[in-house]
Every structure is written in C-alpha cells, then in structure tokens.
Amino acid sequence: MRRIKLSQILTYFLLTIWSVIVLFPIWTLLVNSVKPQKEIFRDPFGFPKNFTLDGYKAAWSTGRFDLYFTNTLIVTIISLTLILLVGSMAAYALAKWKSKASNFLYVFFIAGLMIPIRLGTIDLVRLIKTLNLQDTIWSLIPVYVAMGMPIATFVLTAFIKELPNEMFDAAKVDGASEWQIYSSIVLPLMRPALATVAIFNMIKIWNDFWFPLVFIRSEESRTVALGVSLLFGQYRTDWTRALAVLSMAAIPLLILYVLLSREFIKGLTAGAVKG
Amino acid sequence: MSQMISSGKRNAGLFNNENRRKITWMLFLLPALIIYLTFMAGPLFDSLRLSLYTGEGYNPTKFVGLTNYIDLFTNPLWRGKFFGAVLHTCIFFAIHMIVQNSLGLLFANLLASDFKGRDVYRTIIFAPATLSVLVTGFLWTLILNPQWGAVNKILIAMDLKSLALPWLGRKELALPIIALVSSWQWVGMPTVMFLAGLMGISEELLEAARIDGASEWAIFWKIKFPLLKPVVGIVAILTFVDNFNAFDVIYAMAGAKGEPAYSADLLATLFYRTGIAGEHPVGIPNMGMGAAIATMTFIILMAGVLLWLYLSRRQSPDES
C-alpha cells in the first residue's frame, strides 16, 4: 500500500515539473505581450500591471496581419477541402479495388510519409515559375495538397478497409454505382477519419514556413508564418511587439487545441498510430 | 492484351464490364495521382536529375555528371560545410532520440496508470506540438536572451550566475540547446505513441508478474519494453525523418547560416542557402549543387528507412 502511494507521489511530482516547464514559456509569451517593455524586464512572470495592447496594434497596422490571416485562412481551407475530396476518392479505390495496380499505387502514396516533399523544392521553384504562380498564395495550394496525399490515403484507406463488406455488397445488389456508394455511404461514414486527416493537415499547413519563405516575396501574398518571421526580425529589440506578433500566430491554434485536444492529439499522431 | 488473357470472358471488348470497372477505379484515383505526381513525386525525382547539372539561376542546363558530388566531397569550399552539416544533423537527431524519446517513454509510463488529472497532464505535455516551430524558436531566443531572458534571470536569482551563459552565442552550446528546445516542443508525440502501445499490454500479464514478486523496474524492462519494440521502431524512424529535415527551428534560433560560425548548420539550412536563397554576398542560388545536397539527404533518409524496414521485418517475420 505504501509503495503504491509513493509511486503516485512520484508520478505527480515528475508530471507537474514537466507541466511547469511546458506552460511557463507559453505563459511568459502571452502575459508579456500585453505589458510595456519596461515591465517585461522588471517583472517578466507576473500578471500585467500596466495592461497595454500597443504591441498588437503596432503589429496589426505595420504588419498587415489582417491580410496575412486572410491569406493563411484561404490557403488552409482550399487545401484542406481538396485534400479531403481527392484523398477520400483515391482511398476508396485503394481500399476496394483489388488489383496489382491499386496495391502498387497504395505503396507509392504511402512512401511519401517517409520522404519529405521539401527535398524536391528546387524543382518545385522551377515548376511554380513555369506555371506563373510565383509570389502568389496559389503557389502554396497544389504543393500542400500533394503533401497531404500520403497521410490522407494512409488513414482513409485503413478506415474504409475496416468497414463491413456486407454493406458494400448490399448496395451493389441494389444497383448502386461506385460513385453512389462513395458519395452516399462511404463519405458520411468516414467523417471521424476525415476529421483526423483534416486536423493533421491543418496544423501542418497553418504552421508551414518553408514554402512561403521559398515562393513568396510581396506583402500581399504573405502568410502568418512568413509575416511573423519578417516582423520578428524588425521587432527583435521591442519585446512587447515581438511577443504580440508571436502570440497572434499562436493563439488561434492554441484555442482550438484547448477545445479539441483529444482530436488534435489523434490527428497529429495519425501517421504513426493507426485509426 | 492483358485484359483478354486475365478476364477470359466471352465478351472481351474494350467496354466490357471488367474494363469499365477498371476505368471507374482509375477515375477515382486520377486526381490524387496527378497532383501527387506533379507536385511531389515528380519534383523529387527531377531534383535527382538536376543534381547532375550546373548553371546559375533557375535554369541549370549544363550537364556536368557527378561534378557537384565530387565538389561536395572533395572541394575545400564545400567539403567542410557539407560534412559539418551532416555531423550537426546527426547530433541534432541523436539529442532528440536520447532526450525527447526517453522523456516520452517516461511520461507514457507515468500516464499509463490510472489517476486523477491524467488527461490534463497529457494535454499539457502535447500542447507545444500545436505551436508553429517558428514561433517556438523565436520565443525561446527571447527566453534564452543572455541579458533579459527568463532563464538567466532565474539562474541569477538562484545565485548561479556562473551558469547564466549566452546560450545561443557559444559555438559548443547553440546546437544542443536548439535540439533541446525542439525536444521540448515534440516530446508529446513519443509520449502519446508509447502510451498507446502501453495501453495495449494486457493488465493480467502485468498482474501475474507482480504476484510473482517482480519489481516495477523489472516489469518495465522484461515485459513492457520488449512488447513496445515495434512502437520504439516507429518513434525512432519518425524522429529520424523529421530531424534530418529540420529547418524552421534552426532558422528561427540560429539564422539561415546556423550561427554562431556555422556551428548549428544542418543539411536543410545548407540546402536552403545553396540551392534557394543563394549564399551571401552573391545571392544567386546554385540549383545544381542544392539538388546534390537534397539528393544526399534523400539517400541518407532512404538508407535509414530501409534499415528500419529490414530490422522491423526481421523482428516480426509473421507480420507483413
């Protein structure tokens, strides 16, 4: 009995220490973004005494964060829609078409889980230039959709394979075509798996910095991540503004995470933990 | 021809049922395939081809065979940077393996028992994984700032002034510190994966061992860890792939040159400077050489993944 108690105390002790190590930086980020610089240096950990939104205002007006948010939102939503649509169609064929071709294509798609798309960047730069998409947000979308294919086919194919075969047989007996089965049976049933794929890709796309850095120069096409990197460089010595910029980038996903932490954890580990 | 042999049906025309089914399935696959081929697989393989060319700017057109690779391995202009980047990337990966994954295993074990507040701890441990890597990197540069940063303020307050170092300014410190920050961010991933593995181990097995008087330590190493081996493999390969590709956190904390003095320069930052941004002060990318660096990274990744496939098949020959 005593041993169990001791081990429980140790569990709480270790987990609490780590929780402090995790929460402390996030706390200093958020709380200091609403303090004047002097107060940050004097009292970096306490609640704000001279509450100010100057950092946010400055970032919003000089950095045009309204634009960056709109751009990032457009890119994320269109990319996610396409990933889910195109990925679920492919997954349906990969799961239900029994043939050598589909087995091969399955492996071909899944291989992308292990090979980062960034290694093809040199050629992508040339391709985007050829398509005349450079320096626009439209350059990002096809790349993100391609990047999302491996995880989408992996998770969704596994999900469709788990569905009971009788259901498909019954629909076929009733004379339903593959398209009808896909759109009226598979898609609605697949919602939880689609959510997992959507969350995984949403986090990757929203936070992606590499492709905006490579493809985009002009202000009108910047995403949040790119805006953050440029503004942080400018504000390096003005901590209120720097922290406000970082907070603005972090807050949307942090709020979603607090609301949907279970789904987030499932989504982000989807590549490794099946289902 | 093949459909006539394989189907062997009497009405073996172009639009028989068998063919129509094939066409339907191909239509389902086509959009995904086109996008995946055009924007992922194609560029990856074309990058391999480009590594055999040279020429400034966006059109390396002059075929030079293996010259880029020979330069990379022997030319003093490249050799030091390239092998430095390989070494740093290995160190970066090793620190993640040791720190991030050991902590993940520890936390998973703690979380596997049933107690109040378990989900809260799990949520907290995982939280940094949802932050952008860039934001994490920038945030920690402020926290580690030698003069105003929180870490040194705490150290000074604890009377440990001698430990209050310029963490990111020292050649021997920058890379390990950045790897630790990155481990801080990603420790939730192995935690959740190991936790899923531990939950799959039958409680009766553990109870039986306890009744036989086995200590928790022995139970962990003799029962849990061997059963977790497949998960260990997956965690290891994901850590490998992610970190041989790491860029954002270095860019945020050490700049595109992996400062100070290239001490935190990884393969991805070298790739970026060489093939995309162009090395200061010229500012013109050398795409052929960049492609060669990408190809070397690709080869290292493939070698690691194949080794992992080989080892994991040998361990469980009955699973395909």
Side-chain angles (χ1 to χ4, degrees), chain A residues 3 8 11-12 14-16 18-19 21-26 28-29 40-42 44-45 86 89-90 92-94 96-97 105 108-109 111-112 114-129 131 142-143 145-147 149-150 178-179 182 203 207 209-210 213-214 225 228-229 232 236 239 242-243 246 249-250 253-254 257 261-262 264-265 268-269 272-273, chain B residues 21-22 24-29 31-33 35-41 43-44 46-47 49-50 58-60 103 107 110-111 114-116 119 121-132 134-135 138-143 145 148-150 153-154 184 187 189 192-193 196 216 234 237-238 241 245 247-248 251 271-272 275-276 287 290-291 294 297-298 301-302 305 308:
Chain A
R3 224 179 73 189
Q8 271 215 342
T11 299
Y12 278 117
L14 290 173
L15 290 175
T16 306
W18 187 259
S19 300
I21 295 176
V22 167
L23 292 178
F24 168 76
I26 299 176
T28 51
L29 164 69
I40 299 179
F41 291 159
R42 203 177 49 239
F45 311 126
V86 170
M89 278 169 57
Y92 178 48
L94 293 173
K96 288 291 162 192
W97 182 22
L105 286 177
F108 180 58
F109 277 118
M114 293 295 165
I115 304 159
I117 189 171
R118 285 180 185 182
L119 294 179
T121 305
I122 299 261
D123 202 58
L124 279 171
V125 171
R126 287 152 39 95
L127 179 63
I128 294 297
K129 252 195 151 59
L131 297 172
V143 177
V145 177
M147 196 169 88
M149 282 306 108
E178 300 295 355
W179 292 104
Y182 163 76
I203 298 167
N207 287 338
F209 171 58
W210 174 264
L213 176 71
V214 173
V228 164
S229 88
F232 189 84
R236 209 168 261 278
W239 285 35
L243 288 165
L246 297 184
L253 280 194
L254 275 180
Y257 177 65
S261 59
R262 218 167 251 285
F264 264 58
I265 293 172
L268 259 181
T269 51
V273 186
Chain B
R21 267 171 51 80
K22 264 188 200 166
T24 312
W25 286 130
M26 278 318 290
L27 286 177
F28 271 101
L29 282 162
L33 202 55
I35 292 177
Y36 185 67
L37 276 174
T38 317
F39 290 95
M40 189 155 172
L44 270 168
D46 207 45
S47 280
R49 184 186 65 82
L50 275 178
Y58 289 96
N59 251 331
L103 281 177
F107 296 150
L110 299 176
L111 291 171
D114 204 15
F115 62 92
K116 233 182 167 174
D119 285 358
Y121 282 118
R122 194 184 62 153
T123 306
I124 292 172
I125 290 172
F126 200 85
T130 57
L131 292 174
S132 122
L134 200 70
V135 169
F138 284 145
L139 174 61
W140 277 93
T141 57
L142 296 182
I143 294 173
N145 181 295
W148 301 106
K153 282 202 166 170
I154 293 172
W184 170 87
V187 74
M189 298 287 278
V192 172
M193 289 180 214
E216 286 300 321
I234 293 172
I237 197 68
L238 286 180
V241 172
N245 190 32
F247 173 81
D248 299 20
Y251 184 90
F271 169 59
Y272 173 73
I276 293 156
M287 290 200 150
T297 314
F298 180 79
L301 280 176
M302 282 318 332
V305 170
W308 167 69

Side-chain angles (χ1 to χ4, degrees), chain B residues 225-299:
Chain B
F225 193 73
L227 287 171
L228 274 182
K229 264 189 187 161
V231 187
V232 173
I234 293 172
V235 167
I237 197 68
L238 286 180
T239 311
F240 175 70
V241 172
D242 285 345
N243 288 304
F244 265 75
N245 190 32
F247 173 81
D248 299 20
V249 72
I250 298 285
Y251 184 90
M253 298 183 76
K257 284 198 268 185
E259 278 164 308
Y262 297 106
S263 64
D265 193 21
L266 300 189
L267 279 166
T269 38
L270 180 63
F271 169 59
Y272 173 73
R273 289 200 316 276
T274 308
I276 293 156
E279 195 88 73
H280 190 76
V282 193
I284 299 167
N286 181 345
M287 290 200 150
M289 185 56 97
I293 296 168
T295 305
M296 287 314 299
T297 314
F298 180 79
I299 291 171

Side-chain angles (χ1 to χ4, degrees), chain A residues 42-82:
Chain A
R42 203 177 49 239
D43 170 27
F45 311 126
F47 278 101
K49 286 184 201 75
N50 307 299
F51 182 88
T52 167
L53 286 175
D54 285 353
Y56 289 87
K57 281 181 198 150
W60 198 267
S61 60
T62 56
R64 305 228 27 214
F65 259 82
D66 51 339
L67 198 66
Y68 308 161
F69 272 111
T70 318
N71 283 340
T72 310
L73 212 58
I74 294 173
V75 169
T76 308
I77 290 173
I78 299 181
S79 304
L80 283 185
T81 313
L82 288 172

Side-chain angles (χ1 to χ4, degrees), chain B residues 77-89:
Chain B
L77 208 63
W78 292 103
R79 194 181 54 197
K81 277 187 209 163
F82 175 66
F83 285 108
V86 173
L87 177 69
H88 300 151
T89 312

Side-chain angles (χ1 to χ4, degrees), chain A residues 222-265:
Chain A
R222 281 177 200 160
T223 62
V224 173
L226 192 58
V228 164
S229 88
L230 296 169
L231 278 188
F232 189 84
Q234 267 180 46
Y235 292 160
R236 209 168 261 278
T237 49
D238 186 337
W239 285 35
T240 307
R241 289 183 179 190
L243 288 165
V245 168
L246 297 184
S247 300
M248 267 199 285
I251 286 170
L253 280 194
L254 275 180
I255 291 176
L256 274 182
Y257 177 65
V258 172
L259 296 175
L260 298 168
S261 59
R262 218 167 251 285
E263 283 73 18
F264 264 58
I265 293 172

Side-chain angles (χ1 to χ4, degrees), chain B:
Chain B
M1 194 181 91
S2 66
Q3 73 264 14
M4 285 171 80
I5 297 166
S6 66
S7 68
K9 279 181 184 163
R10 251 172 272 159
N11 56 343
L14 195 59
F15 288 103
N16 65 8
N17 278 346
E18 185 62 21
N19 265 332
R20 211 177 275 167
R21 267 171 51 80
K22 264 188 200 166
I23 291 167
T24 312
W25 286 130
M26 278 318 290
L27 286 177
F28 271 101
L29 282 162
L30 213 55
L33 202 55
I34 290 172
I35 292 177
Y36 185 67
L37 276 174
T38 317
F39 290 95
M40 189 155 172
L44 270 168
F45 286 109
D46 207 45
S47 280
L48 308 187
R49 184 186 65 82
L50 275 178
S51 69
L52 305 176
Y53 287 77
T54 197
E56 303 222 309
Y58 289 96
N59 251 331
T61 44
K62 196 171 157 234
F63 182 80
V64 288
L66 293 174
T67 309
N68 286 331
Y69 294 96
I70 294 167
D71 272 354
L72 208 53
F73 287 117
T74 58
N75 187 336
L77 208 63
W78 292 103
R79 194 181 54 197
K81 277 187 209 163
F82 175 66
F83 285 108
V86 173
L87 177 69
H88 300 151
T89 312
C90 290
I91 295 172
F92 193 72
F93 162 61
I95 293 175
H96 280 84
M97 275 304 276
I98 296 166
V99 177
Q100 170 196 289
N101 295 344
S102 307
L103 281 177
L105 192 55
L106 171 70
F107 296 150
N109 264 286
L110 299 176
L111 291 171
S113 60
D114 204 15
F115 62 92
K116 233 182 167 174
R118 195 174 78 162
D119 285 358
V120 176
Y121 282 118
R122 194 184 62 153
T123 306
I124 292 172
I125 290 172
F126 200 85
T130 57
L131 292 174
S132 122
V133 177
L134 200 70
V135 169
T136 306
F138 284 145
L139 174 61
W140 277 93
T141 57
L142 296 182
I143 294 173
L144 292 166
N145 181 295
Q147 210 176 350
W148 301 106
V151 167
N152 283 359
K153 282 202 166 170
I154 293 172
L155 286 171
I156 290 167
M158 286 164 75
D159 223 9
L160 293 166
K161 199 163 181 189
S162 58
L163 281 179
L165 300 168
W167 301 103
L168 300 170
R170 288 240 186 129
K171 260 201 317 205
E172 69 281 9
L173 281 177
L175 182 67
I177 292 291
I178 296 172
L180 290 178
V181 167
S182 169
S183 300
W184 170 87
Q185 171 157 35
W186 297 111
V187 74
M189 298 287 278
T191 303
V192 172
M193 289 180 214
F194 285 130
L195 186 57
L198 286 169
M199 296 308 224
I201 298 174
S202 93
E203 194 51 43
E204 285 108 62
L205 189 68
L206 303 177
E207 208 43 53
R210 280 191 196 109
I211 288 165
D212 286 348
S215 68
E216 286 300 321
W217 188 250
I219 289 175
F220 177 76
W221 286 111
K222 296 256 165 67
I223 300 174
K224 288 182 184 170
F225 193 73
L227 287 171
L228 274 182
K229 264 189 187 161
V231 187
V232 173
I234 293 172
V235 167
I237 197 68
L238 286 180
T239 311
F240 175 70
V241 172
D242 285 345
N243 288 304
F244 265 75
N245 190 32
F247 173 81
D248 299 20
V249 72
I250 298 285
Y251 184 90
M253 298 183 76
K257 284 198 268 185
E259 278 164 308
Y262 297 106
S263 64
D265 193 21
L266 300 189
L267 279 166
T269 38
L270 180 63
F271 169 59
Y272 173 73
R273 289 200 316 276
T274 308
I276 293 156
E279 195 88 73
H280 190 76
V282 193
I284 299 167
N286 181 345
M287 290 200 150
M289 185 56 97
I293 296 168
T295 305
M296 287 314 299
T297 314
F298 180 79
I299 291 171
I300 296 172
L301 280 176
M302 282 318 332
V305 170
L306 290 177
L307 181 71
W308 167 69
L309 281 176
Y310 170 74
L311 289 176
S312 59
R313 290 234 167 147
R314 214 179 48 168
Q315 233 165 43
S316 54
D318 43 3
E319 267 181 60
S320 62

